[in-house]
Amino acid sequence: MTEKISARLAAALAAAPADRVVYDLDGIADQYDRLTAELPGVDVRFALKACPVDAVLDRLAERGAGFDAASPAEIVQALATGVPADRVHFGNTVKSDADIAHAHRLGVRTFATDSVQDVTAVARHAPGARVFCRLATSGDGALWGLSRKFGTSPEAAVRVLAGARSLGLVPAGLSVHVGSQQMTGEAWQRAFDLLAGALEELARLGIAPDHVNLGGGLPALGCLDRHGNPLEPPLDKIFAVIREGMEHLTALAPAPLAFVMEPGRHLVADHGAVRAHVSRLTERADADGTVARWLYLSVGKYNGLYEMDQLSHRMVFPGHEDPAGLVPAVVAGPTCDSDDAYGSGRLRVPVPRTLASGDPVWLLSAGAYAPSYTTQGFNGIGPLPCVCVPGPEGEH
Ligand SMILES: *Cc1c(COP(=O)(O)O)cnc(C)c1O
């Protein structure tokens, strides 16, 4: 199972004396290079909420990435890498007047939007700025749809961008997000159809956006679903649909079109792992008398594995490699919340019968969102430290 991770990551996990998230910076850099090779010409802006760890951001910036930031604090963190402000955009459609003014003071000139109210506020607090309007998608095919809360119809997007122009803003682009961990090429196809329709409508009003932002949604490859089966997203097909879609939009756009993408999960998920430890392996009779084993870990939903209701992780139990000694168990985190368990407590996975309290456990492909989706101290359990290899310890 350890062949799923790099030797660097395995060595760092093996050497870890206590719980932590470990990131393989070279793995992340390679992943970035693979992505830019698959999608030539795409300007990658890392969605930093997926991994707000300075050493990771520095490495991505060094490779050429910009950043998709969702708040003034994220903008500050992105700029600390040394990227110029024009490589950072405010990608959140949800922002207050003060947020807009703060971002503008920090030098950010490109803002996501999806409503007349927001665009009016941008015109007021970031006069002359560039705005791109987010189109709503269904989120179908994704583990997390990101539908409803964001985006607007192509018809309304045209009104928003026309309004932006009349307020002295630059109607600079359109964006989509097909949903996080999107598992289908069809969702991307639908997104390109929406973008094409909106671009044609805009052209009729004499508005020629200079870019399209394709958002995030590219998958992690090494995660398991909530039933414990490999997710196996059709990555090659997804890239093919995206390349074709970009060609199509380029052909129909009235002016040269640049493409931006905001991957989060895809760049970091498979190059980060959680080192946890066994709290206890128990056997317990339920209210109805059914006896089940439960493996309680030191890490769960509230300190690094927030997504455990939708997906699960491959686990490595160092020192317990005997496949004959496996027994099925529900795997759960340490808190007093019953949702703090894989598959909402219904998933049973094989674990070594010999596990003892304190034994280390590695959870693979757990790098996305681990540092950001964590509570400050639910049940007194604080966020995990983040460590990057190669490099000095303790960056976070
Ligand atoms: C979260 C987010 C992303 C990154 O999504 P992934 O599915 O992790 O790639 C990109 N863009 C926006 C606007 C987001 O909110």
Side-chain angles (χ1 to χ4, degrees):
M1 229 182 259
T2 45
E3 76 272 13
K4 299 271 180 200
I5 56 174
S6 72
R8 270 183 310 272
L9 196 50
L13 290 163
D19 292 354
R20 59 194 51 193
V21 191
V22 184
Y23 284 100
D24 175 3
L25 295 178
D26 293 345
I28 291 170
D30 290 347
Q31 184 82 4
Y32 176 89
D33 292 349
R34 268 195 299 276
L35 175 60
T36 51
E38 288 286 352
L39 302 176
V42 170
D43 182 8
V44 174
R45 306 275 176 96
F46 179 59
L48 72 92
K49 74 174 186 290
C51 186
V53 174
D54 290 336
V56 170
L57 305 185
D58 287 342
R59 179 56 82 87
L60 286 169
E62 221 176 271
R63 301 305 298 169
F67 296 99
D68 163 46
S71 66
E74 282 196 348
I75 293 168
V76 168
Q77 195 180 2
L79 293 175
T81 64
V83 297
D86 65 3
R87 306 274 309 131
V88 179
H89 61 250
F90 200 138
N92 195 347
T93 55
V94 182
K95 49 200 173 306
S96 68
D97 291 354
D99 292 337
I100 298 165
H102 191 171
H104 191 250
R105 280 199 304 280
L106 291 167
V108 169
R109 294 292 178 267
T110 303
F111 294 79
T113 192
D114 61 0
S115 72
V116 168
Q117 287 71 26
D118 180 73
V119 126
T120 305
V122 172
R124 188 174 176 132
H125 300 283
R130 299 159 45 76
V131 290
F132 61 90
C133 189
R134 181 160 169 177
L135 301 178
T137 64
S138 70
D140 291 352
L143 262 62
W144 294 272
L146 309 180
S147 56
R148 298 184 64 88
K149 184 172 172 185
F150 309 104
T152 186
S153 67
E155 299 73 39
V158 170
R159 288 198 294 276
V160 168
L161 288 179
R165 181 175 61 177
S166 66
L167 291 164
L169 296 169
V170 181
L174 291 165
S175 74
V176 288
H177 194 306
V178 294
S180 202
Q181 186 75 27
Q182 174 56 250
M183 295 298 295
T184 73
E186 287 75 15
W188 284 99
Q189 191 53 60
R190 289 192 298 272
F192 279 105
D193 293 346
L194 282 175
L195 288 163
L199 278 177
E200 284 172 336
E201 271 310 303
L202 287 167
R204 274 193 265 285
L205 296 177
I207 297 178
D210 57 33
H211 79 289
V212 163
N213 178 332
L214 297 170
L218 291 174
L221 301 180
C223 294
L224 309 174
D225 69 11
R226 47 180 308 161
H227 309 293
N229 303 313
L231 274 166
E232 295 177 344
L235 188 61
D236 289 341
K237 177 177 174 192
I238 288 170
F239 283 141
V241 172
I242 293 173
R243 282 189 296 263
E244 238 171 73
M246 292 195 300
E247 249 174 62
H248 180 62
L249 295 186
T250 302
L252 68 79
L257 209 52
F259 289 93
V260 169
M261 209 167 192
E262 306 168 333
R265 179 184 306 282
H266 183 69
L267 290 180
V268 294
D270 293 316
H271 305 285
V274 167
R275 189 279 191 190
H277 66 269
V278 172
S279 180
R280 197 164 307 286
L281 178 61
T282 69
E283 242 182 78
R284 180 165 51 83
D286 268 351
D288 64 4
T290 323
V291 174
R293 284 194 187 77
W294 283 69
L295 172 59
Y296 301 110
L297 298 180
S298 56
V299 176
K301 190 175 181 68
Y302 299 98
N303 61 335
L305 302 175
Y306 182 77
E307 301 187 323
M308 69 198 302
D309 54 339
Q310 286 294 330
L311 50 72
S312 57
H313 299 96
R314 289 190 166 86
M315 288 185 285
V316 177
F317 303 96
H320 297 274
E321 274 86 17
D322 177 10
L326 298 174
V327 291
V330 181
V331 178
T335 67
C336 296
D337 184 338
S338 56
D339 280 345
D340 184 7
Y342 278 108
S344 308
R346 279 180 280 275
L347 173 64
R348 289 188 195 194
V349 299
V351 308
R353 163 200 312 277
T354 46
L355 286 175
S357 188
D359 285 352
V361 182
W362 306 349
L363 299 116
L364 308 187
S365 293
Y369 298 101
S372 40
Y373 278 150
T374 187
T375 59
Q376 196 50 48
F378 185 35
N379 284 147
I381 299 162
L384 290 173
C386 293
V387 173
C388 296
V389 288
E393 292 210 347
E395 288 117 330
H396 184 35

